[in-house]
Amino acid sequence: MADDQDDIILADLDDEELVQQMFDDLYDGLREEIEESVNILLERGWQPYEILTKALVAGMTIVGQDFRDGILFVPEVLLAANAMKGGMAILKPLLVETGAPKQGKMVIGTVKGDIHDIGKNLVAMMMEGAGFEVIDLGINNAVDSYLDALESEKPDILGMSALLTTTMPYMKVVIDTLIEKGVRDDYIVLVGGAPLNEEFGRAIGADAYCRDAAVAVETAKSYVARKHNQAAMRA
Amino acid sequence: MDLPDDDRLTREGLALGEADAPATAAPDRLLLIACGALAREILDLIRRNGWDHMDLTCLPAILHNAPDRIPDAVEQAVQKHRATHRRIFVVYADCGTGGRLAATCARLGVQMVEGPHCYSFFEGNTRFAATAEEEFTAFYLTDFLVRQFDAFVWEPLGLDRHPQLRDTYFAHYTKLVYQAQTDDPALTAKAQECAARLGLAFERRFTGYGDLETALASA
Ligand code: B12
């Protein structure tokens, strides 16, 4: 994949070949090549939303699958994410201008005491790629930090990430506080991180545990759709 | 007693009888199934305390970087050695298995070490929990991890191939804490060098074997 890189002139490829090449370049974490390809597709009249979903998100999905299957490892995922970020940076302002579809809004952060953020960042990026507005609270978030953001941002979804056995239980502290304040059901609560599992998600009262970013996107979409349906029924 | 080689402990572990007297079928002996990263420390404790009734076998230490595989690997080892050893103790903490290892051990009827990971039990679980809150920007290394820094940290994080990723990983970290199990100036120097490579401040903290010793004593 990487060897013939130098010989390829991206602008000479037809659309289909270029998208295929973007999959390869994302896989290899080549940020500049991704940025160049995004610009080429824009010049060819592609809609920003189309580039985002058909090239970037689709390419990153392959990376996610190979990470899950143990073919790719953390550094490769980080480089791929970094390349995708380069493409997203070009598309983001254009997406707003062109009124790309909006799925909903998410507040996401890593819980108190934990500074693992690679997985959380990946989820945030893929959610953005799927059309969600994402407010990223970063790492080490105490209850108040989540509550403040929920109040000011009024998101559909609250996402919490934890990678340490010692920090996982803090998710329950946050959810219990939401219950105490009587606002738990105002939000869809999604949780994730390598040491978690479905059972844990249920036990702490989250709506769902998501194994990876692709599952997070699918779960978020279906919960948001359900929430809107329920709202429509009540109305 | 031969001290096992670190590279082998990382990739292969330690076979039963390799580092101590070959074990014969001995229903009253206690078998320790441990992480390879604890082999030296456990052998040292066995020797110092005269725990002659203990045998040791280790799983590859590198499982550390793939914790989802630890519970199955431990289960296989327990099954494999059940025939020779009725009494088995698993020398792993939770190690990022999110409670799965504890569930496996409970199902198999074997005990394991308390605590979230070795950084915690070396320091003493109670003490570690008490300081965790203000020290969450610390990156810990044990004796073993200092010796195997490249195999456990540098290479798996891809820093050998992509040094620019260092600051993505460690942006929020402030210091490297070397939890020393032994007094070894050469290891301290190497730990200091690890901190420099990661761009972190350095602190050495002597822990000795902490809760590992008490856990084995009561096993
Ligand atoms: C990379 C890594 C680090 C990096 C973190 C860099 C960073 N900026 O994040 C470094 C090296 C700095 C590090 C530090 C530490 N780490 Co660390 N680390 C890992 C490692 C190897 C991979 C984690 C990772 O990034 N995976 C890649 C991403 C893409 O996957 P992910 O995080 O699982 O995320 C995916 C899903 O879980 C899900 N997801 C994640 N979050 C969310 C959130 C929502 C809302 C949803 C829906 C989904 C979702 O989607 C993501 C994308 O697909 C794991 C081992 C492992 N294999 O899991 C250990 C591991 C998590 N670390 C561990 C430990 C102990 C530590 C340290 C204490 C070690 C130390 N020596 O000091 C410190 C912690 C400091 C702290 N206070 O947080 C242990 C935890 C053990 C335990 N009992 O809890 C592990 C399991 C390793 C081990 N076996 O010991 N670590």
PDB file of all heavy atoms in Angstrom, chain B residues 79-94:
ATOM      1  N   GLN B  79      -6.854 -24.742  34.126  1.00  0.00           N
ATOM      2  CA  GLN B  79      -7.297 -26.077  33.687  1.00  0.00           C
ATOM      3  C   GLN B  79      -6.110 -27.000  33.461  1.00  0.00           C
ATOM      4  O   GLN B  79      -6.122 -28.172  33.851  1.00  0.00           O
ATOM      5  CB  GLN B  79      -8.116 -25.981  32.389  1.00  0.00           C
ATOM      6  CG  GLN B  79      -9.347 -25.083  32.442  1.00  0.00           C
ATOM      7  CD  GLN B  79     -10.439 -25.582  33.385  1.00  0.00           C
ATOM      8  OE1 GLN B  79     -10.200 -26.467  34.209  1.00  0.00           O
ATOM      9  NE2 GLN B  79     -11.636 -24.991  33.300  1.00  0.00           N
ATOM     10  N   LYS B  80      -5.076 -26.441  32.849  1.00  0.00           N
ATOM     11  CA  LYS B  80      -3.909 -27.236  32.505  1.00  0.00           C
ATOM     12  C   LYS B  80      -3.231 -27.815  33.746  1.00  0.00           C
ATOM     13  O   LYS B  80      -2.726 -28.933  33.715  1.00  0.00           O
ATOM     14  CB  LYS B  80      -2.930 -26.352  31.725  1.00  0.00           C
ATOM     15  CG  LYS B  80      -1.634 -27.025  31.342  1.00  0.00           C
ATOM     16  CD  LYS B  80      -0.789 -26.124  30.463  1.00  0.00           C
ATOM     17  CE  LYS B  80       0.649 -26.617  30.445  1.00  0.00           C
ATOM     18  NZ  LYS B  80       1.564 -25.601  29.923  1.00  0.00           N
ATOM     19  N   HIS B  81      -3.205 -27.035  34.815  1.00  0.00           N
ATOM     20  CA  HIS B  81      -2.431 -27.450  35.994  1.00  0.00           C
ATOM     21  C   HIS B  81      -3.281 -28.068  37.094  1.00  0.00           C
ATOM     22  O   HIS B  81      -2.748 -28.486  38.117  1.00  0.00           O
ATOM     23  CB  HIS B  81      -1.650 -26.255  36.541  1.00  0.00           C
ATOM     24  CG  HIS B  81      -0.596 -25.785  35.593  1.00  0.00           C
ATOM     25  ND1 HIS B  81       0.527 -26.519  35.314  1.00  0.00           N
ATOM     26  CD2 HIS B  81      -0.507 -24.652  34.847  1.00  0.00           C
ATOM     27  CE1 HIS B  81       1.269 -25.858  34.434  1.00  0.00           C
ATOM     28  NE2 HIS B  81       0.661 -24.730  34.130  1.00  0.00           N
ATOM     29  N   ARG B  82      -4.569 -28.138  36.875  1.00  0.00           N
ATOM     30  CA  ARG B  82      -5.456 -28.714  37.883  1.00  0.00           C
ATOM     31  C   ARG B  82      -5.052 -30.137  38.278  1.00  0.00           C
ATOM     32  O   ARG B  82      -5.158 -30.537  39.436  1.00  0.00           O
ATOM     33  CB  ARG B  82      -6.901 -28.755  37.334  1.00  0.00           C
ATOM     34  CG  ARG B  82      -7.669 -27.491  37.640  1.00  0.00           C
ATOM     35  CD  ARG B  82      -8.640 -27.744  38.771  1.00  0.00           C
ATOM     36  NE  ARG B  82      -9.003 -26.519  39.462  1.00  0.00           N
ATOM     37  CZ  ARG B  82     -10.072 -25.782  39.182  1.00  0.00           C
ATOM     38  NH1 ARG B  82     -10.864 -26.121  38.199  1.00  0.00           N
ATOM     39  NH2 ARG B  82     -10.341 -24.709  39.895  1.00  0.00           N
ATOM     40  N   ALA B  83      -4.556 -30.880  37.281  1.00  0.00           N
ATOM     41  CA  ALA B  83      -4.228 -32.283  37.520  1.00  0.00           C
ATOM     42  C   ALA B  83      -3.108 -32.429  38.552  1.00  0.00           C
ATOM     43  O   ALA B  83      -3.128 -33.346  39.367  1.00  0.00           O
ATOM     44  CB  ALA B  83      -3.834 -32.954  36.213  1.00  0.00           C
ATOM     45  N   THR B  84      -2.129 -31.542  38.497  1.00  0.00           N
ATOM     46  CA  THR B  84      -1.010 -31.662  39.435  1.00  0.00           C
ATOM     47  C   THR B  84      -1.208 -30.854  40.710  1.00  0.00           C
ATOM     48  O   THR B  84      -0.619 -31.164  41.731  1.00  0.00           O
ATOM     49  CB  THR B  84       0.313 -31.200  38.790  1.00  0.00           C
ATOM     50  OG1 THR B  84       0.101 -29.931  38.189  1.00  0.00           O
ATOM     51  CG2 THR B  84       0.805 -32.198  37.761  1.00  0.00           C
ATOM     52  N   HIS B  85      -1.968 -29.760  40.608  1.00  0.00           N
ATOM     53  CA  HIS B  85      -2.101 -28.878  41.768  1.00  0.00           C
ATOM     54  C   HIS B  85      -3.552 -28.619  42.106  1.00  0.00           C
ATOM     55  O   HIS B  85      -4.285 -28.010  41.319  1.00  0.00           O
ATOM     56  CB  HIS B  85      -1.404 -27.540  41.507  1.00  0.00           C
ATOM     57  CG  HIS B  85       0.079 -27.650  41.450  1.00  0.00           C
ATOM     58  ND1 HIS B  85       0.749 -28.166  40.365  1.00  0.00           N
ATOM     59  CD2 HIS B  85       1.038 -27.313  42.351  1.00  0.00           C
ATOM     60  CE1 HIS B  85       2.041 -28.140  40.593  1.00  0.00           C
ATOM     61  NE2 HIS B  85       2.255 -27.626  41.802  1.00  0.00           N
ATOM     62  N   ARG B  86      -3.935 -29.033  43.280  1.00  0.00           N
ATOM     63  CA  ARG B  86      -5.291 -28.769  43.705  1.00  0.00           C
ATOM     64  C   ARG B  86      -5.428 -27.311  44.141  1.00  0.00           C
ATOM     65  O   ARG B  86      -6.456 -26.691  43.983  1.00  0.00           O
ATOM     66  CB  ARG B  86      -5.665 -29.701  44.852  1.00  0.00           C
ATOM     67  CG  ARG B  86      -6.972 -30.431  44.608  1.00  0.00           C
ATOM     68  CD  ARG B  86      -7.263 -31.435  45.709  1.00  0.00           C
ATOM     69  NE  ARG B  86      -6.156 -31.615  46.618  1.00  0.00           N
ATOM     70  CZ  ARG B  86      -6.227 -31.460  47.947  1.00  0.00           C
ATOM     71  NH1 ARG B  86      -7.333 -31.151  48.511  1.00  0.00           N
ATOM     72  NH2 ARG B  86      -5.158 -31.639  48.695  1.00  0.00           N
ATOM     73  N   ARG B  87      -4.331 -26.813  44.746  1.00  0.00           N
ATOM     74  CA  ARG B  87      -4.372 -25.438  45.262  1.00  0.00           C
ATOM     75  C   ARG B  87      -3.676 -24.495  44.288  1.00  0.00           C
ATOM     76  O   ARG B  87      -2.500 -24.659  43.985  1.00  0.00           O
ATOM     77  CB  ARG B  87      -3.704 -25.381  46.635  1.00  0.00           C
ATOM     78  CG  ARG B  87      -4.442 -26.218  47.686  1.00  0.00           C
ATOM     79  CD  ARG B  87      -3.649 -26.274  48.962  1.00  0.00           C
ATOM     80  NE  ARG B  87      -3.381 -24.932  49.473  1.00  0.00           N
ATOM     81  CZ  ARG B  87      -2.246 -24.578  50.082  1.00  0.00           C
ATOM     82  NH1 ARG B  87      -1.272 -25.433  50.233  1.00  0.00           N
ATOM     83  NH2 ARG B  87      -2.101 -23.343  50.525  1.00  0.00           N
ATOM     84  N   ILE B  88      -4.438 -23.540  43.803  1.00  0.00           N
ATOM     85  CA  ILE B  88      -3.903 -22.600  42.814  1.00  0.00           C
ATOM     86  C   ILE B  88      -4.232 -21.178  43.250  1.00  0.00           C
ATOM     87  O   ILE B  88      -5.345 -20.903  43.728  1.00  0.00           O
ATOM     88  CB  ILE B  88      -4.508 -22.881  41.411  1.00  0.00           C
ATOM     89  CG1 ILE B  88      -3.997 -24.225  40.884  1.00  0.00           C
ATOM     90  CG2 ILE B  88      -4.182 -21.754  40.444  1.00  0.00           C
ATOM     91  CD1 ILE B  88      -4.558 -24.625  39.534  1.00  0.00           C
ATOM     92  N   PHE B  89      -3.271 -20.284  43.097  1.00  0.00           N
ATOM     93  CA  PHE B  89      -3.508 -18.861  43.384  1.00  0.00           C
ATOM     94  C   PHE B  89      -3.105 -18.052  42.151  1.00  0.00           C
ATOM     95  O   PHE B  89      -2.046 -18.272  41.583  1.00  0.00           O
ATOM     96  CB  PHE B  89      -2.689 -18.431  44.613  1.00  0.00           C
ATOM     97  CG  PHE B  89      -2.971 -17.022  45.064  1.00  0.00           C
ATOM     98  CD1 PHE B  89      -4.152 -16.711  45.748  1.00  0.00           C
ATOM     99  CD2 PHE B  89      -2.062 -16.005  44.799  1.00  0.00           C
ATOM    100  CE1 PHE B  89      -4.413 -15.410  46.161  1.00  0.00           C
ATOM    101  CE2 PHE B  89      -2.322 -14.692  45.211  1.00  0.00           C
ATOM    102  CZ  PHE B  89      -3.497 -14.411  45.898  1.00  0.00           C
ATOM    103  N   VAL B  90      -3.977 -17.157  41.725  1.00  0.00           N
ATOM    104  CA  VAL B  90      -3.721 -16.378  40.516  1.00  0.00           C
ATOM    105  C   VAL B  90      -3.096 -15.035  40.905  1.00  0.00           C
ATOM    106  O   VAL B  90      -3.718 -14.244  41.621  1.00  0.00           O
ATOM    107  CB  VAL B  90      -5.030 -16.167  39.730  1.00  0.00           C
ATOM    108  CG1 VAL B  90      -4.827 -15.178  38.597  1.00  0.00           C
ATOM    109  CG2 VAL B  90      -5.538 -17.501  39.184  1.00  0.00           C
ATOM    110  N   VAL B  91      -1.862 -14.813  40.448  1.00  0.00           N
ATOM    111  CA  VAL B  91      -1.174 -13.591  40.839  1.00  0.00           C
ATOM    112  C   VAL B  91      -1.351 -12.519  39.757  1.00  0.00           C
ATOM    113  O   VAL B  91      -0.418 -12.153  39.041  1.00  0.00           O
ATOM    114  CB  VAL B  91       0.312 -13.838  41.172  1.00  0.00           C
ATOM    115  CG1 VAL B  91       0.859 -12.665  42.001  1.00  0.00           C
ATOM    116  CG2 VAL B  91       0.487 -15.126  41.941  1.00  0.00           C
ATOM    117  N   TYR B  92      -2.579 -12.083  39.637  1.00  0.00           N
ATOM    118  CA  TYR B  92      -2.982 -10.984  38.778  1.00  0.00           C
ATOM    119  C   TYR B  92      -3.924 -10.118  39.597  1.00  0.00           C
ATOM    120  O   TYR B  92      -4.688 -10.642  40.413  1.00  0.00           O
ATOM    121  CB  TYR B  92      -3.798 -11.485  37.585  1.00  0.00           C
ATOM    122  CG  TYR B  92      -3.012 -11.830  36.337  1.00  0.00           C
ATOM    123  CD1 TYR B  92      -2.543 -13.117  36.138  1.00  0.00           C
ATOM    124  CD2 TYR B  92      -2.764 -10.859  35.369  1.00  0.00           C
ATOM    125  CE1 TYR B  92      -1.834 -13.441  34.991  1.00  0.00           C
ATOM    126  CE2 TYR B  92      -2.054 -11.179  34.223  1.00  0.00           C
ATOM    127  CZ  TYR B  92      -1.591 -12.475  34.033  1.00  0.00           C
ATOM    128  OH  TYR B  92      -0.900 -12.785  32.900  1.00  0.00           O
ATOM    129  N   ALA B  93      -3.930  -8.830  39.363  1.00  0.00           N
ATOM    130  CA  ALA B  93      -5.003  -7.980  39.865  1.00  0.00           C
ATOM    131  C   ALA B  93      -6.044  -7.899  38.731  1.00  0.00           C
ATOM    132  O   ALA B  93      -5.978  -8.679  37.788  1.00  0.00           O
ATOM    133  CB  ALA B  93      -4.462  -6.613  40.238  1.00  0.00           C
ATOM    134  N   ASP B  94      -6.947  -6.968  38.808  1.00  0.00           N
ATOM    135  CA  ASP B  94      -7.952  -6.862  37.739  1.00  0.00           C
ATOM    136  C   ASP B  94      -7.310  -6.594  36.369  1.00  0.00           C
ATOM    137  O   ASP B  94      -7.754  -7.117  35.350  1.00  0.00           O
ATOM    138  CB  ASP B  94      -8.954  -5.756  38.066  1.00  0.00           C
ATOM    139  CG  ASP B  94      -9.933  -5.559  36.940  1.00  0.00           C
ATOM    140  OD1 ASP B  94     -10.803  -6.430  36.782  1.00  0.00           O
ATOM    141  OD2 ASP B  94      -9.821  -4.555  36.202  1.00  0.00           O
TER     142      ASP B  94
END
